[in-house]
Amino acid sequence: MTFVTRDNITDQVLEVFERTPDPRLREVMKSLVKHMHAFIREVEPSDHEFEQACEFVVGLGKATSEKKNEVILASDILGASTLITLINNVKRADAAGRMKTESALLGPFWRKNSPQYLDGSNISHGPESKVADQAFEVTGCVRDPNGIPIEGADVDVWHASPLGFYENQDEAQPDMNLRGKFKTNAQGRFSFKSVRPAGYPVPVDGPCGDLLRQQLRDPYRPAHVHYMISKPGYQVLITQVFADDDHRLHTDVTFSVVESLVGKFQQRTGPHEVGFELAYDFVLQPGEMLFPAPPIP
Ligand SMILES: [Fe+2]
């Protein structure tokens, strides 16, 4: 063993990591250290900057609670979450190259035990339900890559209010408002009623907010509906469908908007019709049904 120098420290660390029995952990940690050391050599942080970086990471933990996951938020606003999703979208194509519906971020607001509803039910039960011109009817069909409808798939949906708040952020909304699970029928179809969601800022009261302000970034996301669609024998599809008329489609603070996930939020135009409709269909890929850990209870 030679003494550590600025020039040989990266190789010394990699040599130690070489002994890791788990091949994937070995690969991930070696690559992490190679890139981290290259980053440090490039920016040459001062001791004070290193302290600030450590404080930022500690702050992510401190700002994380049952209501908010600041670690996921940090990954989102750095574009890391979406990059991982985009890479895995390609991997999920089947042998014939057929893609399922593209995935998008789970986000920090999914709750596992939302209520089960009958097809066509209304999931809006708070004061927002009185705003008639924001009425929202959502329909969709779930199919396999051959176009065959999938019956009995679970369609778990959640979205923000017309004021841009999830129920767990808003004392005016009842528990589990604007969230629900639906089952597809024999034609693979589901539908529900709600209110049109608005775009909203990501939480800016933690270290991620400090960073966004220093970078002069708009903290808003465009309006969207979250979906998690599952059935045994298929990969769980986690995605979002974005409002086509939202002016923030190209400035989403989490970099989530891929073209295929923009849905037509159609305004109703009949003499007695108000509100909006969204029709968006989904394709599941056969595979193992694995659910993510809920970011909040
Ligand atoms: Fe969201």
Side-chain angles (χ1 to χ4, degrees):
M1 194 80 179
T2 50
F3 289 104
V4 171
T5 66
R6 174 179 165 149
D7 290 334
N8 74 15
I9 185 166
T10 304
D11 288 339
Q12 292 219 19
V13 175
L14 292 174
E15 199 180 319
V16 171
F17 284 16
E18 192 61 52
R19 295 176 215 139
T20 310
D22 183 312
R24 180 62 173 164
L25 180 63
R26 184 168 65 234
E27 178 191 7
V28 169
M29 291 306 297
K30 282 175 65 179
S31 181
L32 176 67
V33 157
K34 274 186 211 167
H35 288 275
M36 182 190 285
H37 284 209
F39 163 73
I40 291 168
R41 290 181 204 283
E42 180 180 321
V43 302
E44 297 185 343
S46 67
D47 290 339
H48 178 61
E49 286 170 337
F50 178 57
E51 278 172 24
Q52 285 181 307
C54 292
E55 276 172 28
F56 181 82
V57 176
V58 170
L60 298 182
K62 285 183 176 169
T64 296
S65 67
E66 293 207 336
K67 300 258 180 197
K68 188 175 67 146
N69 192 320
E70 191 85 0
V71 179
I72 290 178
L73 179 58
S75 170
D76 293 351
I77 67 167
L78 295 174
S81 306
T82 294
L83 178 57
I84 291 168
T85 300
L86 292 172
I87 288 169
N88 286 321
N89 273 336
V90 174
K91 283 188 186 170
R92 288 189 195 105
D94 68 8
R98 290 172 300 195
M99 296 278 286
K100 64 173 190 56
T101 302
E102 289 202 83
S103 298
L105 307 183
L106 174 66
F109 295 117
W110 176 57
R111 295 180 70 186
K112 191 176 179 185
N113 297 311
S114 66
Q116 182 76 45
Y117 285 100
L118 292 173
D119 190 47
S121 297
N122 196 330
I123 62 171
S124 167
H125 308 291
E128 80 290 337
S129 63
K130 311 286 188 289
V131 188
D133 65 350
Q134 295 299 300
F136 191 40
E137 186 155 356
V138 180
T139 58
C141 186
V142 181
R143 298 186 179 91
D144 73 8
N146 295 313
I148 309 293
I150 299 177
E151 181 180 4
D154 285 305
V155 180
D156 187 346
V157 299
W158 67 104
H159 65 78
S161 72
L163 295 176
F165 294 111
Y166 288 86
E167 48 83 26
N168 52 299
Q169 299 174 299
D170 183 1
E171 298 207 333
Q173 294 184 53
D175 191 37
M176 293 291 182
N177 196 41
L178 308 180
R179 300 174 183 273
K181 293 191 184 78
F182 296 83
K183 281 245 187 247
T184 55
N185 65 16
Q187 288 76 46
R189 303 200 63 82
F190 67 92
S191 67
F192 66 93
K193 296 183 184 68
S194 190
V195 289
R196 186 188 157 125
Y200 58 85
V202 295
V204 291
D205 56 349
C208 290
D210 292 337
L211 179 62
L212 291 172
R213 280 184 289 276
Q214 289 187 58
Q215 295 180 312
L216 306 180
R217 288 170 60 186
D218 178 359
Y220 271 77
R221 305 209 55 216
H224 57 274
V225 178
H226 291 267
Y227 297 83
M228 182 184 295
I229 304 180
S230 59
K231 181 167 180 179
Y234 295 89
Q235 297 170 16
V236 177
L237 173 64
I238 298 168
T239 195
Q240 305 178 24
V241 174
F242 299 92
D244 61 328
D245 56 0
D246 195 298
H247 69 281
R248 288 191 170 93
L249 281 182
H250 301 295
T251 59
D252 181 0
V253 70
T254 71
F255 307 95
S256 296
V257 185
V258 297
E259 191 173 7
S260 72
L261 294 176
V262 176
K264 180 81 183 155
F265 280 41
Q266 182 75 50
Q267 185 149 26
R268 289 170 166 164
T269 53
H272 304 295
E273 293 187 306
V274 288
F276 295 84
E277 292 173 4
L278 167 65
Y280 190 95
D281 295 345
F282 301 88
V283 177
L284 300 190
Q285 197 65 253
E288 196 179 355
M289 185 176 70
L290 291 174
F291 290 97
I296 54 173

